[in-house]
């Protein structure tokens, strides 16, 4: 077994952090490490928190962490932030908003950069979730950047998805257009002390009547994270959804879909790495790649065929 996997199984927090760094850096040891990690996963509840910027996701998670710890639950938080175009690191650094939990051994907080990942969620996010699961956390929380495709991608890596929205923010129109409504297992109306809460709740209820969701009927809860209100309702909603997954075949169906997507992602990643090395190891190809007048479609076709050995 990989040395880091052994230490993670023994709940070594430093090994956990090093393993995630190894994953983010796409270290050659990553696949062997993750194979060993997979064999010791513990079945934590994987929860995604998503929504538009400014909805108060980080503040809500901060309060939720306190609530969960009061119940004796251990929690890992993975905050997926936008990537700096210069350093490749995360820009927001959500850990600074949760600094009151730094010294709590029952909480682990890690910011991860998207690093230009298609869809906004880094490929490494799923691996980081699995490592935290193997460590033995009861809950793994994933917060997305809340822009673009990342809100849709979250459903591919978690069990339960909470969509945070606020009154009078224009969020509803955008999430209707983007199809994000379909991914929510729980609607969290944050900043519920603002005007328009009743109208927003009625709009969500009307949407669900029109959509007629099969199986799980998404719950709607109201929170005021700045006043620490509504955290128990949020947790109860998440617990109810997890129970639904275990009591019906929906949970098994969801896990099968996620496994299929993960396998395809890993294959795509390995092919891309191999093709890239093939191109960059060819001096003529590097020269063509530096030509701004080169036809990218022709280059892609010819290089892919050369990599396959069709030439």
């Amino acid at each position: 077994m990989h040395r880091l996997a052994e230490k993670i199984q023994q709940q070594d927090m430093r090994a956990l952090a090093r393993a995630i760094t190894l994953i983010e850096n796409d270290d050659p040891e990553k696949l062997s490490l993750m194979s060993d990690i997979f064999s010791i996963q513990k079945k934590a509840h994987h929860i995604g928190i998503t929504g538009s910027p400014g909805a108060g996701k980080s503040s809500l998670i901060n309060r939720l962490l306190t609530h969960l710890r009061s119940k004796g639950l251990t929690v890992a938080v993975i905050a997926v932030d936008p990537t700096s175009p210069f350093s490749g690191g995360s820009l927001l650094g959500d850990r600074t908003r949760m600094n009151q939990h730094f010294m709590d051994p029952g909480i682990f907080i890690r910011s991860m950069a998207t690093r230009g990942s298609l869809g906004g969620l880094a490929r490494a996010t799923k691996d980081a979730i699995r490592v935290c699961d193997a460590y033995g956390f009861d809950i793994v929380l994933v917060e997305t950047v809340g822009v673009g495709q990342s809100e849709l991608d979250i459903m591919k890596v978690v069990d339960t998805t909470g969509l945070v929205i606020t009154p009078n923010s224009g969020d509803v129109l955008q999430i209707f257009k983007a199809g994000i409504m379909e991914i929510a297992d729980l609607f969290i109306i944050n900043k519920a002390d603002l005007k328009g809460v009743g109208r927003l709740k009625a709009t969500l209820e009307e949407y669900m009547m029109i959509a007629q969701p099969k199986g799980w009927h998404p719950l709607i809860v109201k929170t005021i994270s700045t006043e620490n209100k509504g955290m128990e309702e949020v947790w109860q909603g998440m617990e109810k959804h997890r129970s639904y997954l275990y009591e019906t075949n929906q949970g098994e169906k969801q896990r099968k879909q996620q496994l299929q997507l993960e396998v395809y992602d890993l294959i795509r990643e390995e092919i891309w790495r191999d093709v890239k090395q093939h191109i960059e190891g060819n001096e003529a190809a590097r020269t063509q790649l530096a030509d701004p007048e080169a036809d990218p479609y022709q280059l892609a076709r010819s290089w892919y065929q050369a990599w396959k050995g069709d030439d």
Side-chain angles (χ1 to χ4, degrees):
M1 180 176 283
H2 195 283
R3 65 189 185 285
L4 286 179
E6 289 181 351
K7 290 183 178 180
I8 288 168
Q9 194 172 21
Q10 298 164 6
Q11 296 198 321
D12 183 326
M13 190 73 78
R14 290 184 179 181
L16 173 63
R18 285 198 295 270
I20 294 177
T21 299
L22 182 148
I23 290 164
E24 283 194 289
N25 293 335
D26 201 21
D27 190 279
E29 295 183 29
K30 184 182 75 171
L31 287 181
S32 62
L33 168 64
M34 290 312 303
S35 183
D36 290 337
I37 287 291
F38 183 81
S39 67
I40 58 174
Q41 58 184 332
K42 305 285 182 64
K43 306 295 183 184
H45 187 184
H46 303 163
I47 298 171
I49 301 292
T50 189
S52 300
K57 298 187 297 295
S58 295
S59 298
L60 186 141
I61 290 174
N62 188 42
R63 295 291 192 178
L64 187 58
L65 286 176
T66 301
H67 186 76
L68 295 174
R69 290 297 289 140
S70 72
K71 294 180 176 294
L73 298 170
T74 57
V75 190
V77 180
I78 300 171
V80 185
D81 291 338
T83 302
S84 164
F86 304 104
S87 68
S90 60
L91 288 175
L92 295 182
D94 282 281
R95 286 174 291 178
T96 59
R97 306 175 206 172
M98 306 172 195
N99 57 12
Q100 70 185 82
H101 302 291
F102 276 173
M103 303 305 294
D104 187 339
I107 291 178
F108 174 78
I109 301 172
R110 178 69 175 249
S111 290
M112 296 184 70
T114 58
R115 302 198 177 191
S117 173
L118 295 177
L121 275 186
R123 160 62 240 175
T125 303
K126 178 64 178 178
D127 294 334
I129 292 171
R130 188 161 279 145
V131 170
C132 291
D133 191 329
Y135 182 91
F137 288 103
D138 299 311
I139 300 159
V140 181
L141 276 173
V142 182
E143 179 194 356
T144 74
V145 290
V147 289
Q149 190 71 19
S150 61
E151 289 143 321
L152 298 176
D153 280 354
I154 191 67
M155 66 179 293
K156 301 176 183 177
V157 298
V158 299
D159 305 315
T160 301
T161 303
L163 176 60
V164 183
I165 52 180
T166 56
N168 303 321
S169 64
D171 285 349
V172 176
L173 178 60
Q174 294 302 317
I175 59 181
F176 267 110
K177 289 167 61 179
I180 296 168
M181 300 288 282
E182 286 78 4
I183 73 163
D185 301 307
L186 182 70
F187 291 106
I188 304 170
I189 302 178
N190 196 26
K191 304 181 183 180
D193 52 337
L194 300 178
K195 293 181 179 179
V197 173
R199 184 167 60 252
L200 175 55
K201 188 172 184 290
T203 301
L204 292 173
E205 289 171 343
E206 288 174 7
Y207 162 79
M208 285 188 282
M209 288 180 63
I210 296 170
Q212 295 181 334
K214 296 179 180 179
W216 174 253
H217 192 82
L219 302 176
I220 303 172
V221 299
K222 294 183 287 186
T223 63
I224 307 175
S225 58
T226 55
E227 299 178 12
N228 199 25
K229 293 182 178 179
M231 297 306 116
E232 176 61 19
E233 289 75 11
V234 169
W235 176 237
Q236 286 180 0
M238 292 173 172
E239 283 273 79
K240 287 179 181 177
H241 181 255
R242 190 186 196 192
S243 296
Y244 167 78
L245 292 179
Y246 277 98
E247 292 167 3
T248 67
N249 63 357
Q250 181 59 34
E252 184 179 355
K253 179 180 178 183
Q254 183 170 303
R255 285 188 290 273
K256 286 180 178 178
Q257 290 175 339
Q258 289 178 343
L259 175 62
Q260 185 181 54
L261 289 169
E262 185 174 8
V263 171
Y264 289 159
D265 279 346
L266 286 168
I267 292 172
R268 189 181 301 114
E269 185 180 281
E270 288 300 301
I271 291 175
W272 160 244
R273 183 185 293 108
D274 199 13
V275 171
K276 188 169 183 286
Q277 289 176 349
H278 177 78
I279 294 170
E280 293 179 350
N282 185 306
E283 186 175 349
R286 292 199 305 272
T287 301
Q288 288 177 299
L289 197 59
D291 181 3
E293 300 299 322
D295 181 347
Y297 305 100
Q298 179 58 38
L299 289 180
R301 184 184 303 112
S302 62
W303 288 346
Y304 178 66
Q305 290 174 345
W307 172 79
K308 285 175 59 182
D310 291 347
D311 287 356

